[in-house]
Amino acid sequence: RGKVLVINFWATWCPPCRREIPDFISAYKELKDQGLEILGLSVDETTGPALIDWTRKMGINYPIALATPEIVKAYEPGDYIPTTIIVDRKGLIRFRQSELMDKDTLVRLFRQYK
């Protein structure tokens, strides 16, 4: 609470997911101090250490984790990735998109729900 949370369901093997990562990195760098938080939830079937190694190589600067069945059930990202969910400062889900997210849209949504 108190921040705009972007929850991004993605996978290392997903081409659109990989294409949006640089935009997430850039937006997080620019807006983190203004209240943007991004959480990347990987749906990969891998280990935590392997995922961390991959994200370090990609230069991901925001928190990542493996999506558990409980997290998937709670946020219902749907059957397609990438899926991005925006949660406002009060903790309410305000936006859901199951397709590539670009930086301009991410920044606009952050400002809208800030």
Side-chain angles (χ1 to χ4, degrees):
R1 291 193 186 261
K3 293 184 178 189
V4 174
L5 174 62
V6 175
I7 302 169
N8 180 248
F9 287 87
W10 65 285
T12 59
W13 48 263
C14 164
C17 302
R18 293 171 78 140
R19 278 198 308 272
E20 70 184 5
I21 288 172
D23 283 352
F24 279 83
I25 291 169
S26 179
Y28 190 63
K29 187 183 296 183
E30 291 176 23
L31 300 171
K32 179 182 179 185
D33 292 338
Q34 296 177 44
L36 174 66
E37 194 58 61
I38 298 175
L39 176 59
L41 294 171
S42 171
V43 296
D44 282 288
E45 292 181 12
T46 188
T47 65
L51 180 64
I52 290 170
D53 287 345
W54 192 90
T55 58
R56 283 187 182 140
K57 289 176 188 169
M58 293 295 292
I60 294 176
N61 59 349
Y62 49 88
I64 57 99
L66 287 168
T68 65
E70 295 82 10
I71 290 171
V72 171
K73 184 177 179 183
Y75 287 97
E76 300 177 349
D79 295 330
Y80 304 101
I81 56 170
T83 294
T84 302
I85 298 170
I86 309 289
V87 181
D88 72 10
R89 292 179 182 262
K90 295 178 183 177
L92 299 173
I93 293 175
R94 295 295 186 171
F95 182 85
R96 183 182 311 262
Q97 174 177 300
S98 292
E99 61 186 64
L100 181 76
M101 174 64 70
D102 63 67
K103 183 180 176 185
D104 291 340
T105 304
L106 185 61
V107 169
R108 179 181 55 75
L109 291 167
F110 168 73
R111 292 203 165 105
Q112 182 177 343
Y113 297 115
K114 178 174 148 176

